[in-house]
Amino acid sequence: GELKGSWDWLQFDQEPWEAKDSVYYGACLAAIATGTAPGHYATSPEVQNNLGLLRKYLKDHAASQSTINRVYLLWASIRLPGLLDSAEQQSIIQEALHRQQADGGWRLASLTWTWKRWDPKTFVKMWLREEGTPLSGASDSVATGLVVYILQKAGVAKDNPQLQKGLGWLKTNQTAEGDWPAYSINKKKHMSSSTRLFMNDAGAAFAVLALTESQRTTALVNSASFTLASP
């Protein structure tokens, strides 16, 4: 049926990784893994039929996905050449850049299919969790770290002002404990809860990937400049 080419996935109505649309996220992970596997695995004859089904599933359902799922698709297309053409990649890049907040970061709630509805107490349209509690309007490390990392991997120029603002957010929002701010967009969690700590761990992982990629890119640019200047 419609899920042909994908895999069964956890569905606990928990965005962004265990919701009804997270089957697509899981398929993107499979594409990333296939394209990353050593030994030219992605080109081996024995996987081509399955890989064809995966490619078709990802392409057929791309337009209907949330922004965060499309960012994962962009990541998959970098690892698995030919999954998207350059115009399709640029469309996702522009979509992600459009979601950037004024402080330079990104907000997980605005990248997922989450809870934008009328607050019955104030009759103001706002982002609400499924339990009705309001979501913070602040940027968070899960969204910011992921987007900044993938934008760099997708070839966005290092001096792009929006990319620089995103890196700036990561550099200035690390806490004294060493992690970055993150939160559940499903239910309001206490700071010490396992879910809250899990989100902080995920945010820290994406932040480290993004900042490490920035340093790697800078090193490559400096090395190229030195080579060009050498006699």
Side-chain angles (χ1 to χ4, degrees):
E2 289 188 358
L3 299 181
K4 185 177 181 179
S6 65
W7 287 261
D8 288 336
W9 199 255
L10 298 172
Q11 295 186 21
F12 299 132
D13 292 325
Q14 301 287 301
E15 288 282 3
W17 301 303
E18 296 174 353
K20 290 182 175 62
D21 64 332
S22 297
V23 172
Y24 195 88
Y25 159 72
C28 287
L29 290 188
I32 293 166
T34 301
T36 305
H40 305 289
Y41 176 74
T43 60
S44 57
E46 61 268 25
V47 304
Q48 293 313 300
N49 181 59
N50 300 80
L51 189 54
L53 293 174
L54 175 59
R55 287 178 181 274
K56 187 176 189 311
Y57 170 78
L58 291 173
K59 289 183 73 71
D60 287 352
H61 295 269
S64 62
Q65 298 304 309
S66 63
T67 299
I68 193 168
N69 276 0
R70 285 170 56 78
V71 170
Y72 281 112
L73 174 62
L74 178 61
W75 189 357
S77 75
I78 296 164
R79 289 295 186 181
L80 202 60
L83 182 59
L84 298 177
D85 61 34
S86 59
E88 291 168 328
Q89 290 179 326
Q90 284 301 314
S91 176
I92 298 175
I93 290 171
Q94 292 306 313
E95 180 180 340
L97 290 172
H98 180 70
R99 299 282 186 173
Q100 189 174 31
Q101 302 215 118
D103 65 359
W106 278 262
R107 183 184 181 209
L108 190 57
S110 65
L111 300 184
T112 60
W113 302 132
T114 45
W115 336 130
K116 190 174 185 179
R117 59 179 183 254
W118 293 98
D119 179 357
K121 295 180 181 179
T122 61
F123 297 101
V124 173
K125 200 168 189 179
M126 61 188 302
W127 292 96
L128 300 174
R129 296 182 178 89
E130 60 180 6
E131 62 190 8
T133 56
L135 280 161
S136 167
S139 298
D140 65 88
S141 57
V142 174
T144 305
L146 172 66
V147 172
V148 171
Y149 175 61
I150 301 306
L151 289 179
Q152 292 178 94
K153 298 299 288 185
V156 173
K158 182 172 176 56
D159 59 356
N160 179 285
Q162 288 184 262
L163 179 59
Q164 285 300 310
K165 285 185 68 176
L167 287 167
W169 188 94
L170 292 171
K171 291 173 182 177
T172 57
N173 280 276
Q174 189 176 19
T175 71
E177 288 74 31
D179 62 359
W180 281 261
Y183 53 83
S184 169
I185 57 176
N186 302 288
K187 295 181 180 180
K188 190 172 184 179
K189 300 289 185 178
H190 188 270
M191 289 293 293
S192 62
S193 73
S194 59
T195 302
R196 182 65 178 262
L197 293 173
F198 173 84
M199 295 303 290
N200 279 46
D201 287 348
F206 283 130
V208 169
L209 282 171
L211 292 171
T212 302
E213 182 65 21
S214 174
Q215 291 181 336
R216 190 187 73 85
T217 305
T218 299
L220 288 173
V221 170
N222 290 341
S223 176
S225 297
F226 175 78
T227 301
L228 289 172
S230 299

